[in-house]
Amino acid sequence: MSFGSGHPLAYPITVTIGALVVCAAWAPFATSDQVAAIAAVALGVIGYTGYRIGVARGLLPSWRSGTARTVRVTRIRQQHRLLSRSWLQVGGTGRPRWLPVYFDPALAALTETQAELTGRTIHIAGHRLYPSGRIRDVEPPGRLIDNPSRPDPDAPALAATATRLRRRLLLDAQSTVAAPFAALLWVYLDNGGFPAFLGATAIAAATTVWLSAIRGSDPT
């Protein structure tokens, strides 16, 4: 399974690999107890990433499978604390439902349109979108921003800028402010010194960025 740089899953997979590299880089300098903790973190990253990618690829259900059907969808952007995500508000199913999706440049100019739910996949005009979680009946928390009712002619250029790797990493790194505090807690519990603090801070920061990316952060 391979994804090009423009694929919606390329960014979360790249960040996952980066988080695992950070864990592996600090392991040779750690004590046996610290290595066990690093291994637990790495296994958690691998397991949760596998689950999320399985949902995105349709290997695991994000909604109840059934026959293909056409629904109306509207793209909304959620801002909740330091997290920003893209959702599709799904109509035509009796009551509104919300499906989180990995950011795709096509979402920037998306207006209310028809989508096809086929088993565990979703397509809009033949273009596949990838769920970043399960569909839900409850409106997502935080501030919800609807896409404009008419296509924005500048949307493709804005999307191209927003999806640059450096920009996405900087946006997802906002939540790393808590990493030093998590590292201090680990050093206190482990009776480690300054090298242990540096390693724990790096690993906590890497996993925080990874968590934002694998949950489907939106760079717009």
Side-chain angles (χ1 to χ4, degrees):
M1 180 174 59
S2 61
F3 304 104
S5 59
H7 195 284
L9 299 181
Y11 174 71
I13 289 176
T14 299
V15 175
T16 298
I17 294 172
L20 294 175
V21 168
V22 171
C23 290
W26 281 99
F29 307 100
T31 65
S32 57
D33 288 341
Q34 292 168 355
V35 168
I38 292 172
V41 170
L43 288 175
V45 169
I46 293 171
Y48 192 60
T49 298
Y51 167 74
R52 287 285 187 171
I53 298 301
V55 169
R57 296 287 296 175
L59 304 177
L60 298 172
S62 55
W63 58 83
R64 291 182 179 178
S65 300
T67 57
R69 54 179 173 168
T70 301
V71 296
R72 300 291 296 181
V73 296
T74 304
R75 183 250 182 158
I76 58 175
R77 185 163 57 88
Q78 174 199 25
Q79 289 184 330
H80 182 54
R81 297 172 183 167
L82 295 178
L83 177 66
S84 179
R85 299 176 74 185
S86 275
W87 295 72
L88 294 179
Q89 181 173 310
V90 182
T93 58
R95 58 180 177 178
R97 306 177 80 185
W98 290 267
L99 177 68
V101 291
Y102 285 102
F103 180 76
D104 187 306
L107 292 171
L110 185 68
T111 57
E112 184 178 359
T113 187
Q114 291 185 336
E116 184 179 3
L117 291 178
T118 308
R120 298 175 179 180
T121 63
I122 182 167
H123 293 81
I124 296 178
H127 183 79
R128 183 174 180 178
L129 297 176
Y130 294 88
S132 60
R134 295 180 179 274
I135 199 167
R136 55 186 289 169
D137 299 324
V138 180
E139 184 177 280
R143 182 186 178 195
L144 302 180
I145 305 171
D146 292 335
N147 261 22
S149 58
R150 295 181 180 180
D152 183 353
D154 297 326
L158 294 175
T161 301
T163 52
R164 292 174 181 170
L165 179 61
R166 181 178 179 181
R167 173 185 168 85
R168 298 197 70 171
L169 288 173
L170 287 174
L171 291 175
D172 286 343
Q174 294 179 77
S175 54
T176 61
V177 293
F181 300 99
L184 284 173
L185 177 61
W186 168 250
V187 169
Y188 173 76
L189 295 174
D190 188 61
N191 293 321
F194 186 67
F197 171 75
L198 291 179
T201 300
I203 292 172
T207 52
T208 299
V209 174
W210 158 79
L211 187 59
S212 294
I214 204 63
R215 292 181 65 192
S217 58
D218 186 316
T220 59

